[in-house]
Amino acid sequence: MEFRHLRYFLVLAEELHFGRAARRLSISQPPLSLNIQQLEASVGARLLIRNSKSVRLTAAGEAFVPAARALLDQAALAAHHARDVAQGMAGSLTIGFAGTMLYNGLPKILEQFQAEHPLLRLMLKELSSHEQLIELSQDRLDLGFVHTTRVPPELSQILVASQAFVCCLPAGHPLAGKRALSLALLQGEPFAVVSRAVSPDYHERILAICNEAGFYPEIRYELRHWLSVVSLVSQGMGVALVPAALEQSAMAGTVFVPLDTATTPYDTHCLWKTSRDSSALAAFVNAVRAGSDQSV
């Protein structure tokens, strides 16, 4: 049984006339008759009764019409889906993200991309930058958003955004009302940071910034997530240096105060394996590039 047989049969079932059906199919009557005979042989039942005056469906033919139509519809759907996958319009992508990306452009990128590619299923995994590098190397992530400069050579990258560090203080802190402050004023305060094991780049950056300000921070709390850092500060338990995008968390009990001197910015890079040949991945990279400040 071939799809051609089904298509010919359905047209004939609608017309119940070999001449009209042949004209609709742009073929002559003998090939149409031959294809119907081949279909009946394949099905193992007579589907049509025809004579010189009329054509009508048998009971088996009546039952076969919806099944034949469903088979053709399913085949067309399968072909359409395969084309969509090949063109990057369907399938799935697994995307890693770290820290502040929920407050720094990722939702907008995802919303716009999903609107343009509704058949693509996006899976998001929150992971540290270090964890994402491992997942990318083992092909468990298609793409990641990281805060690290330690990028292996087999990965391509886009600089998505740069942002300043700001001081995160409890709302009742004596310095909370300042428009900008010198980091040196926080010497001796208990600091909350994302742990070195989770984000070595960030951890070392905080130490370097404080060292430039003339002191070594008293690190009292090491946490796994940025929001955990902000939450701890909101309870009045310490202070922190955090990326400016976290101001958008609007967590009650916290105040974000800019530093009065510029520091090394906190960069976000989008990474993916250069060798990956995926139309869906290429489409997403293009969407990230279009929404980024600049490319690397």
Side-chain angles (χ1 to χ4, degrees), residues 87-110:
Q87 295 167 7
M89 298 294 288
S92 65
L93 287 174
T94 303
I95 300 167
F97 69 97
T100 62
M101 279 307 296
L102 287 178
Y103 302 99
N104 196 34
L106 181 58
K108 184 177 180 180
I109 292 171
L110 295 175

Side-chain angles (χ1 to χ4, degrees), residues 8-179:
Y8 287 6
F9 167 73
L10 289 174
V11 171
L12 184 56
E14 291 175 4
E15 295 292 343
L16 293 178
H17 189 282
F18 273 86
R20 290 195 300 269
R23 284 193 293 273
R24 275 182 59 183
L25 294 167
S26 299
I27 61 174
S28 61
Q29 290 189 44
L32 176 57
S33 296
L34 177 61
N35 275 273
I36 296 301
Q37 291 170 9
Q38 291 171 341
L39 176 62
E40 290 177 324
S42 177
V43 172
R46 192 171 186 183
L47 303 176
L48 294 144
I49 297 175
R50 57 268 202 196
N51 56 39
S52 59
K53 296 182 178 180
S54 66
V55 177
R56 62 185 176 87
L57 292 167
T58 64
E62 293 278 5
F64 191 64
V65 167
R69 187 171 289 118
L71 284 170
L72 286 179
D73 289 345
Q74 187 175 3
L77 183 63
H80 182 70
H81 181 71
R83 287 194 300 271
D84 284 342
V85 171
Q87 295 167 7
M89 298 294 288
S92 65
L93 287 174
T94 303
I95 300 167
F97 69 97
T100 62
M101 279 307 296
L102 287 178
Y103 302 99
N104 196 34
L106 181 58
K108 184 177 180 180
I109 292 171
L110 295 175
E111 180 182 10
Q112 183 172 345
F113 183 79
Q114 199 72 85
E116 295 174 356
H117 304 276
L119 299 181
L120 263 171
R121 184 167 178 251
L122 302 180
M123 304 281 292
L124 268 66
K125 297 175 69 174
E126 183 180 5
L127 300 166
S128 71
S129 297
H130 177 67
E131 290 168 336
Q132 287 186 68
L133 293 180
I134 295 174
E135 296 285 290
L136 284 166
S137 69
Q138 298 180 359
D139 293 321
R140 292 197 292 261
L141 281 182
D142 293 296
L143 180 142
F145 291 90
V146 304
H147 307 299
T148 181
T149 57
R150 309 177 192 195
V151 179
E154 66 269 19
L155 299 180
S156 295
Q157 60 179 300
I158 297 170
L159 176 61
V160 177
S162 290
Q163 55 185 310
F165 281 101
V166 297
C167 294
C168 180
L169 305 175
H173 194 281
L175 301 174
K178 286 187 170 292
R179 298 182 64 179

Side-chain angles (χ1 to χ4, degrees), residues 169 173-182 185 255-258 260:
L169 305 175
H173 194 281
L175 301 174
K178 286 187 170 292
R179 298 182 64 179
L181 62 81
S182 169
L185 294 176
V255 173
F256 298 86
V257 182
D260 61 2

